[in-house]
Amino acid sequence: MTGKLPFALTREKTFYESLNEWIGDTLYDELTEKGFDCRDEQIYMSFQIEQALREKEVLFAEAGVGTGKTIAYLLPAIAYARYTGKPALISCADETLIDQLVKEEGDIRKLGEALELTIDVRLAKSRNQYLCLKRLEEMNRTGEEYAENVEDSLPDFVYGPASLSEVYSYGERSSYPDLSDGEWETINYHPIQQCGGCDLRNRCGQTIHRSEYRQASDLIICSHDFFMEHLWTKESRKRQGQLPLLPEVSMAVFDEGHLLEYAAQRALTYEVQDSTLLGLLERVMTDGVREQTLQLMEQLMECHELFFDYLSECAQEDGEERLAIQKTVELVSTARNAVRLSNALLEEFVFDSELYVIPEYDLRMVEEYLEQYIFSLELFSDNAEAVDWAEDREGELTLVIMPRLVTDVLQERLFSEKLPIIFSSATLSVQNDFSFLANNLGIEHSISFSIESPYDYEEVMDLTIESLPEDGKMGRLVELLNDGEQTLVLFKSKQSMESFRAQLPEGQLPFTAFEGDRELSSIVKEFQAKQWSAFCSYHLWEGLDIPHDALTRVVIYDLPLPPSDPLFNAKRSHAASPFEEVDLPYMLLRLRQGVGRLIRTATDSGSIHILLNPEESKLVPTFDSIFPVAPKVKLT
């Protein structure tokens, strides 16, 4: 049920005029009386958002750290949701940032208590953040202890006789902090699962959770990845008689909005792994399947394995996580043959389904996967606009196919609607120019502003750029971390972080946590509680909010230049000046975000260390002026 507006409406004023007055009264007077800081930058931002709502515009709201961006967009968002009768959507860069937004001491709770508002806020987490009961059953058959422990922790109603009236949501990734990312990825939701035909659907934590967030009246909070998955699947789900992943919303706020492009590309990504198809086909090789169908399955399995043999030979090892593929005649022709066999097999499955010899759930899962498999290999073998590469994931080769550009799709499905959209971040522009982000997203019309942080950085931040010998970075970082100061270390990639970790002598830096060892938000909480003195991450360049003495130093281990991989090479190939148009803007935005992790409140202070090798040191003139304080540069 929609809540009451937090202010009265009269015939003399429009909703927007009343909203404008309420924002001013709340920020200037009511919140200030409750102990909140009165910040001109925050008030300006909130008024600009009201204007964007009035005009149904896209707004780039770039505001420095300490502006109070969250409260600036929460006030108009809550009022607009109640006025329209549809919830406002807040999309965050990832699940960790969602948890920070709704934590006990977060802005939503503080605002609700200060204004005596009951704010109905619900989380819509990505599907891979939920346990899959079918995959858990399969993993339990292998005897893995962690899977047995998870099964033992399930609510009684999952397998017991409890009434569905006693059902409640469960199974989120954050509920299993001790599982490594690798372990979680064996039991979480996977796109090949056929949720619609699952006999455990009504007791599935993801299904239960989805029915809960659909009832939100004020705010729905999700990740960029989940929003994009919703956007891409919305029409197809409707055609299949299913509800879209998210309900209709009144407006959208993209917090850390500069990362939306990458989420859009990930949502349109197709993946093909060697073992997935083989495992699925083996599941449907049951007694009673017709001989012609069995022969086709065996031929497809042989062709598929041959394709991956060729792919392994053609994937070029060049030190990057994404491996470029040299498309040989043999590789492409084998892909096309796999498509031909897959289409023939789908035709045979029509006859087998009438015999009921294959379990319906398994058959639907294989058919769905084959359709995606065909589409993926057709893109790989025939579409020049697609970007493809290979990745080695835990020893298994994976083919990845992604669209080069998402601008046309975003224009059609998101920015053509008269939906007010707010991009909020401390880093949306490159030297006050928003065209880099707007062009990448396909935004033709927008309004924008940029305001500086209210903090006096000269008093609270010390920034040093150090040039070191090629082999000197590791020793310098170890030297810094050995003093026990609360330090966040940012690496440009997972590969860079793991390389540093592999070179560490055993037992050195015992109080250092590494991203990926356990559930990310749990490590963040432990670091904030000072259970770790150092936290190494390749992911938390933006959005991480650890105030006061829990974080007093940030070390940037390498310049966050985009990798020389197929995706960015495709962008470079379509740029007149690749470094200036692709590499440099990406690096500058990332650097500004990384430095922004240090000072989160008016009482924070600390130091930034940027470690450079000789090659990176040549780029100092391109970025030394972007920081809130002049850096001390130590060049060798």
Side-chain angles (χ1 to χ4, degrees):
M1 182 176 179
T2 303
K4 291 175 59 178
L5 279 172
F7 51 84
L9 285 181
T10 65
R11 294 182 178 180
E12 288 74 32
K13 295 177 183 176
T14 67
F15 163 77
Y16 299 101
E17 291 170 334
S18 299
L19 173 61
N20 191 289
E21 286 187 6
W22 176 70
I23 288 172
D25 292 342
T26 301
L27 293 176
Y28 277 119
D29 300 322
E30 192 167 355
L31 290 183
T32 305
E33 291 172 2
K34 299 286 179 63
F36 288 71
D37 293 333
C38 183
R39 303 167 181 170
D40 290 337
E41 296 88 354
Q42 182 184 62
I43 295 165
Y44 177 81
M45 176 175 173
S46 204
F47 283 149
Q48 292 300 305
I49 292 173
E50 178 271 314
Q51 187 70 20
L53 296 179
R54 184 192 300 254
E55 299 175 4
K56 307 292 189 294
E57 279 280 10
V58 174
L59 169 66
F60 291 115
E62 182 176 67
V65 175
T67 301
K69 294 185 287 293
T70 307
I71 287 178
Y73 65 64
L74 281 176
L75 288 175
I78 293 166
Y80 195 65
R82 295 185 177 189
Y83 173 66
T84 59
K86 302 174 190 173
L89 179 88
I90 300 174
S91 178
C92 300
D94 57 36
E95 310 298 335
T96 305
L97 303 186
I98 292 175
D99 289 335
Q100 291 191 162
L101 192 59
V102 298
K103 61 187 178 183
E104 286 289 322
E105 64 275 23
D107 285 335
I108 293 177
R109 183 175 293 274
K110 288 180 182 177
L111 188 63
E113 291 175 352
L115 300 181
E116 298 181 358
L117 282 176
T118 300
I119 302 173
D120 183 17
V121 54
R122 310 196 188 193
L123 306 187
K125 292 193 173 185
S126 295
R127 293 195 280 181
N128 63 10
Q129 293 294 305
Y130 284 91
L131 182 70
C132 173
L133 296 174
K134 288 289 189 182
R135 297 188 76 206
L136 178 63
E137 288 177 350
E138 293 175 3
M139 188 52 58
N140 260 317
R141 288 195 285 270
T142 69
E144 291 287 350
E145 184 178 359
Y146 70 86
E148 293 176 0
N149 291 337
V150 171
E151 185 174 60
D152 290 342
S153 72
L154 294 177
D156 292 339
F157 64 74
V158 176
Y159 296 112
S163 165
L164 289 182
S165 64
E166 300 173 31
V167 163
Y168 55 87
S169 61
Y170 69 95
E172 296 178 55
R173 172 66 175 108
S174 55
S175 299
Y176 308 100
D178 293 330
L179 293 183
S180 70
D181 286 351
E183 290 169 339
W184 173 252
E185 286 166 6
T186 67
I187 59 174
N188 66 341
Y189 167 82
H190 190 280
I192 67 170
Q193 301 305 126
Q194 286 299 298
C195 297
C198 180
D199 57 331
L200 295 170
R201 178 178 175 82
N202 290 335
R203 298 175 188 264
C204 167
Q206 181 190 156
T207 304
I208 296 166
H209 192 76
R210 190 176 302 162
S211 66
E212 289 183 354
Y213 72 66
R214 285 187 179 282
Q215 306 304 315
S217 58
D218 289 332
L219 304 173
I220 294 178
I221 304 179
C222 71
S223 66
H224 293 346
D225 284 338
F226 189 62
F227 177 78
M228 283 302 162
E229 186 181 1
H230 156 73
L231 200 65
W232 299 155
T233 61
K234 182 178 178 180
E235 295 306 319
S236 64
R237 290 179 68 87
K238 284 182 177 179
R239 287 194 297 271
Q240 295 168 15
Q242 298 176 311
L243 289 172
L245 293 177
L246 289 167
E248 191 174 349
V249 297
S250 57
M251 63 174 292
V253 177
F254 294 112
D255 205 334
E256 304 298 350
H258 61 288
L259 297 175
L260 193 66
E261 178 196 4
Y262 305 107
Q265 289 174 320
R266 284 193 296 271
L268 282 177
T269 294
Y270 298 90
E271 296 184 358
V272 180
Q273 289 181 312
D274 188 11
S275 63
T276 306
L277 178 68
L278 301 179
L280 287 173
L281 291 179
E282 287 172 358
R283 289 177 69 152
V284 294
M285 285 181 164
T286 58
D287 292 338
V289 176
R290 295 176 309 121
E291 184 65 27
Q292 188 169 353
T293 305
L294 285 173
Q295 288 179 357
L296 272 173
M297 283 196 278
E298 289 170 356
Q299 291 173 27
L300 177 56
M301 291 169 80
E302 291 175 4
C303 181
H304 177 77
E305 289 184 302
L306 180 61
F307 172 78
F308 270 87
D309 287 342
Y310 285 137
L311 183 65
S312 180
E313 295 172 2
C314 297
Q316 302 169 352
E317 291 280 357
D318 55 5
E320 299 291 347
E321 293 178 22
R322 296 169 180 152
L323 311 177
I325 300 169
Q326 180 66 40
K327 290 188 179 179
T328 62
V329 173
E330 294 84 2
L331 181 65
V332 173
S333 63
T334 305
R336 289 173 177 163
N337 192 33
V339 169
R340 180 185 63 78
L341 290 169
S342 298
N343 278 316
L345 184 56
L346 281 176
E347 292 178 8
E348 293 303 319
F349 278 150
V350 173
F351 300 104
D352 287 281
S353 66
E354 296 173 355
L355 300 176
Y356 300 103
V357 295
I358 302 175
E360 182 182 3
Y361 177 83
D362 290 347
L363 181 60
R364 287 184 62 183
M365 189 158 61
V366 174
E367 289 175 331
E368 182 84 14
Y369 183 78
L370 280 177
E371 289 173 359
Q372 180 201 307
Y373 180 78
I374 291 166
F375 184 74
S376 301
L377 290 189
E378 284 179 338
L379 278 177
F380 175 77
S381 56
D382 297 321
N383 194 322
E385 283 301 303
V387 182
D388 44 61
W389 65 86
E391 292 182 12
D392 186 338
R393 298 182 182 171
E394 308 274 334
E396 181 173 25
L397 198 62
T398 299
L399 172 65
V400 185
I401 304 120
M402 176 184 282
R404 182 180 65 81
L405 295 174
V406 294
T407 51
D408 291 343
V409 185
L410 284 173
Q411 279 177 343
E412 177 188 347
R413 301 192 187 184
L414 180 58
F415 299 118
S416 64
E417 313 238 346
K418 292 301 286 182
L419 183 75
I421 295 175
I422 314 301
F423 286 84
S424 170
S425 178
T427 53
L428 294 173
S429 71
V430 178
Q431 297 177 340
N432 291 325
D433 182 358
F434 294 88
S435 60
F436 175 70
L437 180 59
N439 292 339
N440 284 348
L441 291 172
I443 298 172
E444 296 179 345
H445 305 289
S446 63
I447 54 179
S448 62
F449 69 84
S450 181
I451 48 179
E452 297 294 329
S453 167
Y455 297 152
D456 185 353
Y457 284 99
E458 295 288 348
E459 294 292 323
V460 297
M461 179 189 286
D462 182 70
L463 195 155
T464 303
I465 298 174
E466 300 183 46
S467 177
L468 300 160
E470 190 68 47
D471 59 353
K473 274 191 186 184
M474 178 182 170
R476 177 56 177 148
L477 179 54
V478 170
E479 178 187 345
L480 287 168
L481 297 186
N482 271 330
D483 65 11
E485 185 175 347
Q486 289 293 116
T487 304
L488 172 68
V489 185
L490 294 173
F491 295 83
K492 69 176 180 180
S493 65
K494 180 179 180 180
Q495 187 178 39
S496 173
M497 185 187 78
E498 294 298 344
S499 176
F500 165 76
R501 187 179 192 176
Q503 295 175 61
L504 275 177
E506 188 173 350
Q508 197 160 30
L509 304 179
F511 299 105
T512 298
F514 287 84
E515 179 179 344
D517 285 351
R518 294 169 58 247
E519 193 267 332
L520 186 55
S521 64
S522 66
I523 301 178
V524 171
K525 290 174 185 174
E526 292 168 356
F527 179 61
Q528 187 162 2
K530 300 186 181 179
Q531 294 180 33
W532 307 99
S533 61
F535 182 16
C536 294
S537 173
Y538 58 91
H539 180 248
L540 295 175
W541 288 79
E542 52 273 308
L544 184 68
D545 187 8
I546 299 182
H548 313 310
D549 62 350
L551 177 59
T552 57
R553 181 168 60 197
V554 173
V555 178
I556 295 176
Y557 190 73
D558 30 32
L559 286 184
L561 284 161
S564 179
D565 67 15
L567 177 59
F568 279 97
N569 285 341
K571 286 175 174 280
R572 294 179 184 107
S573 68
H574 289 80
S577 179
F579 181 77
E580 284 76 13
E581 295 178 32
V582 178
D583 294 56
L584 186 59
Y586 178 94
M587 182 186 75
L588 295 181
L589 286 174
R590 204 91 165 137
L591 275 175
R592 288 173 60 202
Q593 280 286 352
V595 170
R597 295 314 94 218
L598 182 65
I599 306 300
R600 307 304 299 172
T601 74
T603 60
D604 290 358
S605 63
S607 63
I608 305 281
H609 295 260
I610 302 176
L611 310 183
L612 307 178
N613 62 28
E615 193 64 29
E616 291 171 321
S617 298
K618 297 175 184 177
L619 296 176
V620 169
T622 66
F623 66 81
D624 61 351
S625 63
I626 68 167
F627 305 115
V629 297
K632 300 171 187 174
V633 182
K634 299 180 179 179
L635 299 178
T636 58

